[in-house]
């Protein structure tokens, strides 16, 4: 998919939705169940979200499944999440492939065990030719890690003589962060009631529309996602321009 520049256009259907799936733990705790039960319920909500994007024709969906910081959670919870990821990879990839979904992972893959890494590689290879929905799972991912990695890539290019320091600009860095081949997220959805970005796509979400709900991730349904889309459709995206500039077609504002 061609990466779109941040052009000012009336908001309609988001091309790319990024999601923080928060509230699994609280959902389980409210039912006096272990947190792992909440994560399993969360995995079901992932399918609700994918189905919705496929039905509506959203081109890209990026899910924050496990942050760089989540490694610090109790060993038992990290273990349960790893098991869940592995099960999902084993169970869901065939169906996703059949439905034309391209699956990719962003994050520090080397921190996962070999079995999961191999499954991730296999899922990516299997679905590489699909383009109906670009599903990216951010796992062991952090926005700061992403930007630091891109900065290191720039430094390596400069050190090797492939890039002049004065050629370093937003486009050069933007080409080296994750998801550089996708349009930036148009809409960010976070469940669970917290109003923060939590080190998700820090570079990519500079002009993303933010939408929050108190609903816990396992409670997600199509009606909630539709509310987010309706809200998004009513927003005026200005990208730093004025409302009048957005309203007037380009030819009218050109000198
Ligand atoms: C945040 O809720 C959620 C996570 C850290 C894990 C997200 C994982 C899933 C939704 C399950 C599987 C995902 C895939 C892609 C198969 P939390 O535990 O922080 O909830 P809390 O804020 O209520 O404690």
């Amino acid at each position: 998919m061609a990466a779109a520049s941040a052009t000012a256009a009336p908001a309609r259907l988001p091309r790319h939705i990024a999601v923080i799936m928060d509230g699994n733990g609280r959902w389980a705790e409210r039912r006096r169940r272990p947190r792992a039960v909440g994560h399993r319920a969360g995995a079901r909500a992932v399918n609700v979200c994918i189905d919705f994007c496929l039905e509506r024709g959203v081109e890209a969906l990026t899910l924050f499944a496990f942050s760089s910081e989540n490694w610090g959670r109790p060993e038992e919870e990290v273990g349960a999440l790893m098991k869940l990821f592995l099960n999902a990879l084993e169970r869901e990839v065939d169906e996703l492939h059949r439905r034309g979904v391209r699956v990719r992972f962003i994050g520090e893959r080397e921190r996962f065990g070999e079995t999961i890494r191999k499954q991730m590689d296999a899922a990516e290879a299997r679905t590489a030719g699909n383009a109906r929905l670009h599903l990216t799972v951010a796992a062991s991912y952090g926005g700061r890690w992403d930007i630091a990695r891109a900065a290191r890539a720039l430094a390596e290019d400069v050190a090797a003589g492939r890039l002049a320091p004065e050629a370093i600009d937003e486009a050069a860095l933007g080409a080296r962060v994750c998801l550089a081949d996708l349009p930036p997220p148009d809409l960010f959805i976070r469940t669970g009631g917290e109003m923060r970005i939590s080190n998700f796509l820090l570079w990519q979400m500079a002009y993303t529309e933010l939408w929050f709900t108190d609903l816990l991730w396992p409670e997600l349904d199509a009606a909630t996602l539709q509310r987010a889309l309706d809200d998004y459709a009513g927003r005026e995206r200005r990208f730093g321009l004025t409302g009048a500039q957005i309203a007037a077609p380009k030819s009218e504002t050109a000198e």
Side-chain angles (χ1 to χ4, degrees):
M1 191 190 308
S5 62
T7 49
R12 287 288 174 260
L13 182 73
R15 295 181 68 192
H16 184 174
I17 301 179
V19 184
I20 291 189
M21 312 181 282
D22 197 15
N24 294 347
R26 277 165 287 163
W27 185 89
E29 282 157 14
R30 283 179 195 172
R31 286 161 179 75
R32 302 187 193 288
R33 303 296 305 278
R35 292 175 61 85
V37 172
H39 293 312
R40 281 206 293 278
R44 288 194 290 277
V46 167
N47 287 328
V48 170
C49 194
I50 294 171
D51 290 350
F52 181 86
C53 288
L54 284 167
E55 275 165 25
R56 296 295 189 285
V58 173
E59 295 168 53
L61 172 67
T62 301
L63 301 173
F64 205 1
F66 195 79
S67 73
S68 309
E69 293 75 25
N70 287 155
W71 289 111
R73 289 194 175 197
E75 211 175 297
E76 188 189 333
E77 183 170 345
V78 173
L81 276 166
M82 293 304 130
K83 218 165 130 189
L84 194 59
F85 294 150
L86 200 56
N87 285 346
L89 280 163
E90 283 166 357
R91 215 183 37 234
E92 306 289 348
V93 172
D94 280 352
E95 179 64 6
L96 290 170
H97 180 52
R98 196 187 62 73
R99 300 170 87 189
V101 178
R102 178 174 188 182
V103 183
R104 282 190 292 185
F105 301 88
I106 55 171
E108 281 183 280
R109 199 171 303 196
E110 41 301 343
R111 291 188 72 177
F112 289 100
E114 199 191 347
T115 317
I116 292 191
R117 283 203 314 269
K118 280 192 173 156
Q119 292 273 12
M120 286 174 167
D121 292 346
E124 287 183 338
R126 177 107 200 270
T127 62
N130 297 337
R132 189 170 159 216
L133 173 68
H134 292 253
L135 172 66
T136 304
V137 178
S140 190
Y141 175 86
R144 291 175 177 170
W145 163 84
D146 191 356
I147 294 170
R149 181 172 152 273
R152 193 185 326 129
L154 286 172
E156 283 168 2
D157 285 348
V158 169
R162 291 189 292 265
L163 187 72
E166 53 277 17
I168 295 178
D169 56 11
E170 290 182 25
L173 196 137
R176 288 162 176 82
V177 293
C178 296
L179 310 183
D181 62 329
L182 296 179
D186 299 300
L187 174 63
F188 164 81
I189 295 174
R190 180 175 187 146
T191 58
E194 312 288 358
M195 304 245 195
R196 51 179 173 255
I197 292 174
S198 299
N199 198 19
F200 196 18
L201 302 162
L202 299 181
W203 177 274
Q204 297 85 341
M205 296 211 305
Y207 275 100
T208 299
E209 297 295 324
L210 309 180
W211 195 85
F212 299 93
T213 173
D214 287 337
L215 219 72
L216 304 176
W217 178 253
E219 298 165 343
L220 185 84
D221 57 11
T224 303
L225 290 168
Q226 189 56 51
R227 270 198 289 129
L229 250 57
D230 292 345
D231 211 349
Y232 171 83
R235 296 202 191 171
E236 181 184 66
R237 303 188 73 190
R238 292 197 293 274
F239 298 99
L241 304 181
T242 67
Q245 284 176 301
I246 301 302
K250 257 204 175 116
S251 56
E252 284 179 30
T253 51
E255 286 286 297

